[in-house]
Amino acid sequence: MGRQVSEDSESRFARYVEGLTSVIGHADRTAPLRDYCVGLLAAEGRKSVEPMAAVTAPAEVSAQHQKLLHFVATAPWSDERVLAKVREMVLPAIDRHGPIEAWIIDDTSYPKHGPHSVGVHHQYCGQLGKQANCQVVVTLSIANHHASLPIAYRLYLPKVWAEDAARRKKAHVPEKIAFKTKPQIALEQIRWAYAAGVARGVVLMDASYGSNTALRNGVSALALTYVAAIVPTIKVRAVSDHDARGPRMSVKELALSLPKHAWRTITWREGTADPLRSRFARVRVRTAPIRRAAERAEETLLIEWPEGEPKPTKYWLSTLDEKIPFRRLVDIAKMRWRIERDYQELKQEIGLGHYEGRGWPGFHHHGTMCIAAYGFLVSERETIPPSGPRSSRLLTKPAIPSSYRPRGAPDPAAAPRPQLDRDAPPQIGRRDRQNSAAVPMLCTQLQTKPASKFMTQ
């Protein structure tokens, strides 16, 4: 059974890669594209170029390393076209379980020790939960309750990078890339998805995006609805039948002023162990900035205040129909959890944060290939029985020679007694090809002095 699953998966993977090659450009990129995807799915541990080369071409690691490196770092193929093809091929598998319900805006970060990789800056790093040197990527995903898939992926380029011509040139940042805030990048991705005819969904965003008025207004200008998390200090006016212009107050103040009967305990879905439930209230409001407040349309303020907490914990503004069932509103607001799982699997299973190059093209090419590999897994999930193989085992891979060790890996420690050492002693000039001959200009010296004092590589 397991063998049949693997064989079927491999044939489907071959067709999947064939679809990607139709938009990759030059025919010479077909094999590296396939091998890169195989490496992301089959390599264990870190998914940087060299381990993937060892998995996909164990007999010629050095040559394969160069091919994959060229493909991801310098080959001029289009990330946008590949991601569009991934969406086209994976969407039917998602749609089988219902239409797209949400567009999810978010970002993810990759800690970096050095300052030379493109976009690295001392900024908030969500992965670490603090300020640190890192890269931050803004993404847009489509989702329903069955699955989700990133469809846009763009590095946030801090202002110090955007205005530094020398650094831009060294990292090959395209001239058209100017400084934009993360909410501006998010709105650009939403506009692109709208123009591309992507199946519509409610736009979901966390408070770092949802608190941005320009972003919310931009979404509404496209006639899209949103459920946007906001910070507690956002000012609103409550709207009621007898008072269309209530006092201006923060959403936190409004929440604390609500009567006890305004709160309802709602279960929105089944969790891993127990049903997920909490207390919620909803109020019709208008946001109340200092200027032009009268132009604001009515929205629904959704508030969460879990039992046992001293104060409300989350707030959302929604432009969905005010008559939407309460449970449905909560369910949609909570759908953002899907993107958190995407990031977890993309980083832990696929190696999204493992790229070791420093340039703009390679960084985005690696991200695109990771999303492509992840898209294949999304389309394969329903074909794998619960007791079936892990995703990384769906594709067979050549055996890596026992003598192979990545560059920089330490030699195995020798046993106290040589006859008990399971590993051969380290060889001078160890590499994946034969040692080259001694440098000719040293031959005379080698004949006149003890050979044991010289080492050539």
Side-chain angles (χ1 to χ4, degrees), residues 3 6 10 24 87 106 112 153 157 172 224 231 237 263 273 315 332 371 410 436 449-450:
R3 178 177 176 82
S6 177
E10 291 193 5
I24 202 68
R87 183 180 80 248
D106 209 344
K112 291 286 183 179
Y153 183 88
L157 197 66
H172 304 288
L224 297 172
V231 294
R237 296 183 190 274
W263 299 92
Y315 307 84
I332 292 175
I371 293 171
S436 56
K449 295 185 179 182

Side-chain angles (χ1 to χ4, degrees), residues 270-306:
E270 292 293 324
T272 304
D274 301 303
L276 300 179
R277 62 169 61 94
S278 188
R279 288 197 312 159
F280 297 88
R282 59 176 174 177
V283 186
R284 292 296 286 176
V285 300
R286 283 190 175 92
T287 54
I290 296 176
R291 298 178 180 177
R292 307 178 70 174
E295 300 177 8
R296 302 292 180 181
E298 288 187 18
E299 301 179 68
T300 297
L301 172 64
L302 176 66
I303 311 159
E304 181 179 2
W305 190 345

Side-chain angles (χ1 to χ4, degrees), residues 366-432:
H366 176 78
T368 296
M369 286 294 98
C370 287
I371 293 171
Y374 183 65
F376 175 70
L377 295 185
V378 169
S379 63
E380 284 290 288
R381 274 182 183 143
E382 61 191 31
T383 69
I384 305 171
S387 60
R390 288 174 56 84
S391 60
S392 60
R393 304 295 191 270
L394 290 176
L395 305 177
T396 56
K397 58 183 179 181
I400 300 176
S402 59
S403 60
Y404 168 76
R405 292 188 185 91
R407 289 176 300 170
D411 289 318
R417 297 183 180 181
Q419 64 269 30
L420 300 179
D421 198 338
R422 61 182 296 174
D423 291 299
Q427 300 296 317
I428 296 173
R430 187 189 68 215
R431 57 184 71 190
D432 57 0

